[in-house]
């Protein structure tokens, strides 16, 4: 077989493509006319593109990590990276379409790991573990995240042909990014349509983004003097806009009076002093070796607890009470630090009412004042029972259902998100399944169960949607997702096999230069698995507890690395000293030990009886297999709809590891969880980038190799950012709630308490499988996704899908693709860019 | 018929989901023995299940209102009796309670669920049997025609390029004609998935799309290179696309 065939046949005997040399073929073809130039010099992977991509990725990663911990979800980076890369390269008078594609590939690869880290790692802090760069746990988690990033990227590479070439999944954002990259060449009119989309998207989303930039509200002298909210003041406006309650305003006025008078109520200062002293003593007692001194301190702690109980907080936070003590008594918080002044309590972290920069609530659009015969506002229009109609438009959503007079339990609320609208438009008709599934779950099933009186009476119509999602939708939806994905993989097996054969044939002959061969994929994949085995082995060899269970007071004295732990059901319990270990082994009764074991949530896992190294290897191997499957699920979901149920799969991972290793193995579970989450986010990102690459004609092998080169940066940046935030903020507080990690914490505690609705997962799984029997194997995934996701986003996304169908029916598919898709791509960028800018502003303000 | 089956599938999903809910939201009027649990974490001191969410009407409690039975209440026969007491409207005070443990005996709508999944299976199989046949839908393109069209367009462009007077004009021609091709024949071929699967099976479909995707990617690269002003790279890819379309045509049979 010749390398340069003359028969025009570009395939070898095994069906793989052969690259041919255009110049030779041109001469052979002997076409008439002028001599045409030959190829080469088309810049794709360049040092500038890679460096620029890394820089953009690092900035995005840090800012989105911080914002993700604050607001509970992350934003995708590809569209932003494409626009930034495009702009910077144009300023530098460089940048081909495929080179800019490499910039966005690299930037999104570095950025994307943030979701994997923030959905999992902060749960350790919420569960009482510490996170410190000097601690081995921190670096093991980072190692696992890097391993996950490598595996996620590598595992998904062989599926490129199946998902993009064969199944032609839409990947809405990737399609939008390709539209952006191609826009300058597509003609001025389409470019203007894209820009119009960006402007509209930014204009619509900017108030949403700016509502998360907050400052302490100003309080007038009159309000302080009168002790109540004055007319026309900022506090009055915030109450009017439904942003704070009257109680919040009263607390803020009280605080303002303390600032003015340089004096605070004695009981609060006393409470703060006791809380402050208690904190110091707890720290000190953990370092004391002398038993008598320890006993004296414990007695003092008891006294302080009495003082704290005798001086209740009256609705003010403990942080505020402590600050009042520090200010009133001019106490320096740390050695060498100046004592805080009264102005320091003007802080939203301490409970001072916060005023957003601007938001849709400033419009104060409310539901109609619909009263009953007695003149009372109907409950449907006043769910918060404040005798005023509820807001029709909040900072982030429009309550279309109640505006139309539909009862609140039907939850027809639409998120204000041009990104979801644009993604829905690009998805088109296939996304309609998600909308139908969402309507079924949130507009039919939930209201039926509610109206039948099956749900707890304390659940109000306004809370129904979120309550039912937690108790029913998530387990049922995740089950459907898993079952549907399993069916999808089975149905796609012929395509997967054909894709593998094609890659293998290309690897064997060396002719398919566009595709990464199987050999490097296998080598790098094994490397990733080896890293994961190492991390799992080291992590499961460490104690499951941070604090010594014997040394008093409990939950305060840290475990010492130098003391041998004790093994219980394959899980290691550590101690602060040899003496504590001896007490556990020789002095304590079985009941005392069992109480601690129960407190730590230790129950045997399926592999508990195995030797440690074997157990760790099996856990890592199962984890790797699961990572591959989860990567396929996420790539399918993202490909079909643009949504990715990362937190749901993180939950399944943690449950899986706890069932295998034992329910006390929280650290190991989170370790596998962070590896999986990073892996699946990278898998989805890799596939999105490859889709964009396909549409702009990039060479897959170049994107794949470049992404593998930089993929390790992201987890390190995300982990260091989380560490920085954890050191300077209280994770789990109002300011940095770490909502996804908090949800994972509930699941971990649920597994330890045996309180997960496993049967609902199973029933969902069965329905997911059966949904795939019909004409469309991926139906289970779509329905599962719609049951699992919050409906407000599905609703907006669904509007996009319907608009696509409408324009396709009325103006034709070509119109939709040529004009609608650029506008939709603009909407995606229009939301993503302001969101990133605001994230950076929030990060900068600390 | 296929559409009807599709609607029945959605109804089955709805009934299945509602029935699944009743596995953990159980009636209050069953035999008290059915509320016992062997799990020490999920049962109270008398061995009966604890409720996972508060239940009952809102009543005054510590100056506020709260459900009559808070979360963690043990479902003893006495509590169940009070909950299931029939009110004036003929309904029990509490119809169902949320529990954290599954039990076949407590699952009130299990037969509904089984019926839903059986019907779901039958409808899925019915849809599968009715799907395809290889016929091209009215108004849709025939895959062979689309590929022939694409091949003809690319080959024609390749042959005409040497006759165009300047590189700039050639670039403009490539951008315009390949842009057109992407929106017409290539888009139309990609939409014939169901027809191709019916005619060639999933494996055959995969082989056809593998070849087609290779050709389409070359077209895409040729367009991008032309838009970037790189004529040589663009022409190379146009030339490489032609045999790939020919192979796609060959695989189509």
């Amino acid at each position: 077989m010749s390398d340069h065939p003359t028969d025009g046949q570009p395939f070898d005997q095994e069906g793989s493509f052969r690259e041919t040399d255009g110049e030779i073929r041109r001469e052979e073809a002997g076409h008439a006319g002028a001599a045409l130039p030959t190829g080469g010099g088309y810049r794709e992977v360049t040092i500038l593109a890679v460096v620029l991509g890394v820089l953009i990725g690092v900035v995005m990663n840090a800012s989105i990590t911080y914002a993700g911990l604050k607001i509970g979800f992350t934003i995708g980076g590809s569209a932003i990276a494409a626009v930034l890369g495009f702009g910077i390269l144009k300023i530098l008078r460089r940048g081909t379409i495929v080179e800019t594609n490499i910039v966005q590939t690299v930037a999104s690869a570095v950025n994307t790991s943030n979701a994997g880290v923030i959905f999992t790692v902060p749960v350790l802090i919420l569960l009482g573990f510490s996170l410190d760069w000097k601690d081995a746990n921190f670096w093991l988690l980072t190692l696992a995240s890097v391993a996950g990033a490598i595996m996620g990227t590598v595992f998904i590479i062989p599926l490129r042909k199946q998902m993009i070439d064969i199944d032609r999944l839409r990947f809405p954002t990737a399609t939008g990014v390709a539209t952006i990259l191609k826009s300058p060449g597509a003609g001025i009119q389409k470019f203007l349509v894209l820009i119009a989309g960006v402007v509209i998207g930014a204009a619509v989303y900017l108030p949403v983004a700016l509502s998360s930039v907050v400052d302490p509200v100003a309080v007038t002298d009159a309000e302080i003097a009168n002790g109540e909210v004055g007319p026309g003041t900022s506090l009055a406006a915030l109450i009017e806009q439904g942003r704070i309650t009257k109680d919040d305003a009263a607390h803020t006025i009280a605080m303002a009076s303390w600032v003015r008078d340089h004096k605070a109520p004695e009981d609060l200062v006393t409470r703060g002093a006791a809380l402050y002293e208690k904190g110091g003593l707890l720290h000190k007692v953990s370092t004391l070796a002398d038993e008598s001194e320890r006993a004296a301190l414990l007695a003092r702690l008891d006294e302080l607890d009495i003082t704290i109980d005798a001086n209740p907080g009256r609705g003010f936070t403990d942080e505020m009470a402590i600050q009042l003590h520090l200010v009133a008594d001019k106490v320096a918080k740390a050695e060498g630090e100046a004592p805080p002044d009264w102005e320091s309590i003007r802080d939203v972290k301490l409970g001072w009412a916060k005023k957003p920069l601007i938001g849709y609530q400033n419009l104060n659009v409310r539901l109609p004042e619909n009263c009953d015969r007695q003149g009372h506002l109907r409950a449907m229009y006043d769910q918060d029972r404040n005798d005023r109609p509820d807001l029709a438009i909040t900072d982030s959503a429009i309550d279309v259902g109640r505006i139309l007079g539909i009862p609140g339990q039907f939850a027809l609320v639409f998120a204000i998100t041009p990104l979801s609208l644009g993604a829905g438009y690009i998805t088109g008709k296939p996304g309609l399944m998600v909308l139908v599934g969402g309507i079924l779950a949130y507009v039919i099933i939930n209201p039926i169960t509610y109206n039948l009186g099956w749900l707890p009476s304390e659940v109000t119509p306004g809370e129904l949607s979120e309550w039912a999602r937690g108790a029913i939708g998530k387990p049922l939806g995740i089950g459907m997702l898993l079952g549907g994905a399993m069916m999808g993989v089975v149905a796609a097996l012929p395509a997967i096999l054909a894709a593998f054969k094609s890659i293998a044939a290309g690897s064997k002959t060396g002719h398919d230069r566009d595709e990464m061969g199987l050999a490097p994929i296998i080598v790098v994949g094994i490397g990733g698995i080896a890293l994961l085995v190492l991390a799992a082995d080291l992590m499961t060899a460490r104690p499951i507890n941070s604090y010594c269970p014997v040394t008093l007071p409990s939950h305060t004295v840290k475990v010492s690395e130098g003391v041998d732990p004790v093994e219980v059901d394959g899980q290691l319990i550590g101690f602060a000293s040899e003496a504590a270990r001896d007490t556990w082994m020789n002095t304590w009764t079985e009941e005392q030990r069992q109480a601690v074991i129960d407190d730590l949530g230790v129950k045997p896992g399926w592999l508990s009886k195995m030797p440690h190294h074997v157990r760790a290897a099996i856990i890592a191997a199962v984890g790797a297999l699961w990572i591959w499957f989860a990567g396929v699920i996420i790539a399918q979901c993202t490909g079909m709809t643009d949504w990715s149920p990362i937190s749901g799969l993180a939950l399944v991972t943690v449950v899986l590891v706890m069932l295998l290793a034992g329910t006390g193995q929280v650290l190991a579970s989170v370790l596998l969880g962070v590896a999986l989450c990073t892996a699946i986010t990278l898998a989805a990102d890799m596939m999105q980038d490859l889709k964009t690459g396909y549409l702009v004609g990039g060479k897959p092998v170049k994107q794949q190799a470049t992404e593998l080169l930089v993929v390790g940066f992201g987890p390190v940046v995300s982990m260091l950012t989380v560490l920085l935030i954890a050191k300077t903020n209280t994770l789990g507080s109002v300011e940095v709630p770490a909502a996804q990690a908090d949800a994972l914490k509930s699941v971990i505690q649920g597994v330890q308490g045996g309180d997960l609705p496993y049967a609902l997962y199973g029933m969902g799984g069965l329905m997911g499988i059966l949904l795939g029997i019909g004409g469309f194997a991926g139906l289970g995934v779509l329905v599962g996704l719609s049951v699992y996701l919050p409906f407000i986003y599905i609703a907006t996304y669904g509007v996009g899908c319907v608009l696509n169908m409408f324009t396709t029916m009325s103006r034709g598919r070509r119109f939709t693709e040529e004009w609608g898709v650029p506008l939709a791509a603009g909407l995606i960028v229009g939301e993503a860019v302001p969101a990133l800018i605001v994230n950076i502003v929030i990060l900068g303000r600390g | 018929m296929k559409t009807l089956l599709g609607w029945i599938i959605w109804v089955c999903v709805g009934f299945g989901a509602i029935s699944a809910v009743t596995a953990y939201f159980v009636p209050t009027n069953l035999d008290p023995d059915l509320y016992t649990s062997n799990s020490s974490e999920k049962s109270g001191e008398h061995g009966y299940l604890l409720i996972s969410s508060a239940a009952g009407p809102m009543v005054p409690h510590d100056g506020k209102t709260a459900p009559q039975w808070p979360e963690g209440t043990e479902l003893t026969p006495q509590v169940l009796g009070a909950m299931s007491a029939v009110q004036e409207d003929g309904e029990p005070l509490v119809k169902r309670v949320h529990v954290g443990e599954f039990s076949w005996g407590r699952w009130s709508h299990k037969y509904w669920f089984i019926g839903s999944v059986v019907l779901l299976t039958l409808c899925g199989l019915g849809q599968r049997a009715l799907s395809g046949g290889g016929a091209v839908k009215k108004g849709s393109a025939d895959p062979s025609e689309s590929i022939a069209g694409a091949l003809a367009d690319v080959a024609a462009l390749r042959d005409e390029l040497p006759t165009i007077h300047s590189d700039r004009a050639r670039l403009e021609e490539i951008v315009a004609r390949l842009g057109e091709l992407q929106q017409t024949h290539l888009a139309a071929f990609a939409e014939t998935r169901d027809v191709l699967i019916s005619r060639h099976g999933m494996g055959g479909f995969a082989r056809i799309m593998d070849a087609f995707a290779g050709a389409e990617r070359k077209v895409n690269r040729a367009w991008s290179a032309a838009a970037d002003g790189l004529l040589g790279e663009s022409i190379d890819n146009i030339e490489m696309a032609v045999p790939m379309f020919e192979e796609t045509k060959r695989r189509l049979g």
Side-chain angles (χ1 to χ4, degrees), chain A residues 126-203:
Chain A
L126 300 183
L127 286 167
F129 292 88
S130 58
L131 204 62
D132 196 301
W133 70 274
K134 293 177 191 161
D135 188 359
N137 289 346
F138 174 80
W139 293 107
L140 286 175
L141 289 165
T142 307
L143 181 68
S145 188
V146 171
I150 294 170
M151 283 193 289
T153 309
V154 163
F155 286 1
I156 209 72
I157 285 174
L159 294 177
R160 189 199 73 80
K161 269 184 185 283
Q162 181 253 320
M163 289 191 185
I164 293 172
D165 289 2
I166 298 169
D167 277 339
R168 298 180 73 85
L169 299 184
R170 182 69 159 157
F171 289 98
T173 295
T175 304
V177 169
T179 308
I180 295 163
L181 296 180
K182 290 167 72 176
S183 58
I188 189 70
Q189 285 178 315
K190 283 179 195 165
F191 184 69
L192 289 176
V193 169
L194 178 83
I195 296 298
V198 175
V199 172
I200 294 168

Side-chain angles (χ1 to χ4, degrees), chain A residues 260-341:
Chain A
R260 185 196 61 180
D261 300 340
H262 288 198
K263 188 172 173 26
E266 203 53 47
D267 58 332
L268 282 179
V269 177
T270 305
R271 179 182 173 81
L275 287 165
Y276 183 72
E277 186 182 350
K278 184 182 175 183
L281 289 184
L282 286 175
H283 179 70
K284 191 175 174 186
V285 81
S286 66
T287 60
L288 275 184
D290 187 286
E291 283 301 321
S292 62
E293 283 184 40
R294 187 192 298 277
L297 284 185
L298 290 176
R300 177 63 187 152
L301 281 169
D302 287 342
E303 289 173 17
L304 290 172
D305 280 337
I306 292 168
T307 306
I308 292 165
D309 290 343
N311 294 279
R314 295 192 281 130
F316 295 97
T317 63
D318 284 353
E319 289 77 14
M320 170 58 85
I322 291 171
Q323 192 70 5
L324 288 176
H325 156 67
L326 296 175
V327 175
D329 293 349
K330 294 286 176 208
V331 179
K333 278 196 277 191
E335 204 174 321
E337 194 178 328
D341 61 17

Side-chain angles (χ1 to χ4, degrees), chain A residues 336-522:
Chain A
E337 194 178 328
D341 61 17
W342 283 98
E343 282 297 320
S344 68
I345 64 172
R346 201 189 295 272
D347 188 343
V348 293
K349 290 178 191 163
L350 299 174
W352 191 288
K354 56 188 176 186
K355 184 184 177 203
L357 214 52
I358 196 168
Y360 283 108
Q361 281 180 227
N362 286 51
L363 299 172
N364 199 21
V365 178
R366 293 191 174 262
L367 295 169
E369 205 150 334
N370 195 324
C371 299
D372 59 20
R373 286 177 187 173
Q374 283 77 41
H376 298 128
L377 200 57
R378 289 182 200 278
M380 173 189 144
Y381 295 97
D382 181 23
Q383 287 176 350
D384 56 6
R385 301 282 193 273
N386 66 351
D387 296 327
R388 300 180 64 205
D390 295 335
L391 286 163
I393 302 177
T394 65
D395 280 334
S396 57
I398 306 173
D399 193 340
V400 175
R402 286 198 295 158
I403 290 172
L404 297 174
I406 299 169
Q409 60 263 39
F410 290 92
L412 272 176
V413 182
F414 293 71
I416 303 171
T417 159
L419 191 148
S420 298
L421 188 72
Y425 187 89
I426 296 176
T427 308
K429 194 178 173 185
L432 210 58
M433 297 289 180
V434 180
L435 179 65
V436 175
I439 289 172
L440 184 70
Y442 290 90
V443 185
I444 297 175
I445 296 173
N446 286 352
I448 285 177
T449 53
Y450 181 83
N451 289 333
L452 285 171
W454 291 2
L455 304 184
S457 55
E458 61 183 336
V459 178
T460 64
E463 296 163 347
L464 171 65
S465 186
E466 202 46 37
W467 192 92
R469 181 172 169 252
I472 303 162
K474 279 188 178 177
L476 206 58
I478 291 170
M480 280 187 186
L481 258 174
L482 296 179
M486 214 181 296
M487 201 63 190
V489 170
V490 170
L493 267 181
I496 293 173
L497 288 176
F500 266 86
K501 268 186 195 169
S502 173
I503 296 171
S507 301
K508 215 161 105 183
T509 57
H511 288 310
D512 195 351
R513 295 176 216 153
D514 281 0
E515 200 74 51
M516 183 173 276
L518 284 181
I521 292 172
I522 291 168

